């Protein structure tokens, strides 16, 4: 009996160790995703003539960044990516939630390359869709390729007609992209791991939950570039 108890205890300890190691690995992946998302924003904004226009930055309600969105195109294109999202609140930008982006082919991908994607919610409808657990771009929410550079008129027109503006960066080229049919949904498991409890997606994006230390750089990076212009006050 004592031998059996010892074996059971050893098995329990092993299971606990494996579970802790898996959780640590998940946390490391999330830390890397947050760091990569912040880097994508900094690199995109490093070239003002080819970056997101100021009128889009100042009018954004929410921002989604999906680093290294995977694409494979043979007969039928398939896409899948993991990213992070934050929304503007009355006291700055919210702590991030973790999201998935999935969809079919959007036409121009070749081989198995990966692309960085940025989605910007431009009005309250876009915000409400972000607060929902799942949204299909082009069906549940109007989306269009976002303008780049200093063309303020194009930026104004785009922000007036789309709930989401979408951008891609591949091989150094940053441009608007059509993501119609792509599904944006919450990654509840990663968000739960990040905050250690079943905290709702809405409460995080409303700013009710402070960012963890691993997310501070990402939130500060968004706040640095997505500032409200004086004209919006």
């Amino acid at each position: 009996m004592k031998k059996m108890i010892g074996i059971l205890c050893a098995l329990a300890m092993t299971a606990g160790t494996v579970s802790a190691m898996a959780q640590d690995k998940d946390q490391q992946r999330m830390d890397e995703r947050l760091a990569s998302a912040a880097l994508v924003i900094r690199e995109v904004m490093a070239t003002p003539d080819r970056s997101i226009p100021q009128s889009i930055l100042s009018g954004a309600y929410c921002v989604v960044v999906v680093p290294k969105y995977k694409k494979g195109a043979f007969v039928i294109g398939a896409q899948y990516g993991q990213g992070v999202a934050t929304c503007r609140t009355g006291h700055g930008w919210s702590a991030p939630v973790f999201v998935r982006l999935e969809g079919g082919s959007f036409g121009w991908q070749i081989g198995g390359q990966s692309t960085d994607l940025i989605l910007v919610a431009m009005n309250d409808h876009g915000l409400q869709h972000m607060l929902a657990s799942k949204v299909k771009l082009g069906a549940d929410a109007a989306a269009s390729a976002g303008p780049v550079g200093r063309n303020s008129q194009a930026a104004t027109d785009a922000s007036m007609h789309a709930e989401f503006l979408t951008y891609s960066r591949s091989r150094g080229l940053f441009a608007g992209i059509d993501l119609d049919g792509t599904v944006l949904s919450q990654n509840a498991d990663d968000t739960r791991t990040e905050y250690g409890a079943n905290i709702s997606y809405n409460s995080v994006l409303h700013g009710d939950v402070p960012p963890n230390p691993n997310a501070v750089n990402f939130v500060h990076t968004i706040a640095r570039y997505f500032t409200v212009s004086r004209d919006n006050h």
Side-chain angles (χ1 to χ4, degrees), residues 198-211:
N198 284 319
I199 296 174
S200 75
Y201 197 73
N202 288 37
S203 63
V204 177
L205 292 180
H206 273 131
D208 299 334
V209 179

Side-chain angles (χ1 to χ4, degrees), residues 153-205:
Q153 184 59 48
T156 301
D157 292 345
S159 63
M160 288 176 60
H161 295 98
E163 294 171 43
F164 283 92
L165 297 178
T166 54
Y167 296 91
S168 71
R169 187 184 67 157
S170 181
R171 298 175 182 172
L173 176 65
F174 182 68
I177 190 169
D178 182 3
L179 289 179
D180 276 5
T182 305
V183 176
L184 176 66
S185 60
Q186 62 172 296
N187 185 329
D189 290 339
D190 282 358
T191 299
R192 187 183 306 113
T193 299
E194 174 72 4
Y195 297 105
N198 284 319
I199 296 174
S200 75
Y201 197 73
N202 288 37
S203 63
V204 177
L205 292 180

Side-chain angles (χ1 to χ4, degrees), residues 39-166:
L39 182 61
V40 167
I41 294 295
R42 288 197 301 271
E43 290 182 347
V44 163
M45 297 307 299
T47 309
D49 288 339
R50 294 298 302 166
S51 63
I52 301 172
Q54 179 57 44
S55 59
I56 302 300
L57 299 172
S58 63
Y61 278 60
C62 302
V63 182
V64 183
V65 185
V66 182
K68 299 179 182 178
Y69 191 51
K70 295 297 188 298
K71 304 174 298 183
F74 299 97
V75 177
I76 299 175
Q79 305 168 48
Y80 180 78
Q82 297 274 7
V84 291
T86 178
C87 288
R88 199 188 297 274
T89 72
H91 49 82
W93 287 86
S94 73
V97 293
F98 291 82
V99 297
R100 296 186 182 94
L101 194 64
E102 303 168 89
S105 173
F106 52 75
W108 53 260
Q109 77 269 26
I110 55 175
Q113 71 188 70
S114 65
T115 300
D116 300 319
L117 298 179
I118 300 173
L119 290 73
V120 184
M122 291 306 301
N123 52 42
D124 190 61
H125 292 294
L127 171 61
Q128 295 308 316
H129 284 302
M130 270 298 308
L131 294 173
S133 61
K134 185 177 181 179
V135 57
K136 186 172 184 179
L137 300 179
D140 302 324
S144 66
V148 298
R150 302 182 185 275
N151 188 337
S152 59
Q153 184 59 48
T156 301
D157 292 345
S159 63
M160 288 176 60
H161 295 98
E163 294 171 43
F164 283 92
L165 297 178
T166 54

Side-chain angles (χ1 to χ4, degrees), residues 41 86 88 92-93 216-228:
I41 294 295
T86 178
R88 199 188 297 274
W93 287 86
V216 168
N217 179 47
F218 170 70
V219 175
H220 284 179
T221 299
I222 295 293
R224 175 184 174 187
Y225 294 106
F226 287 79
T227 55
V228 177

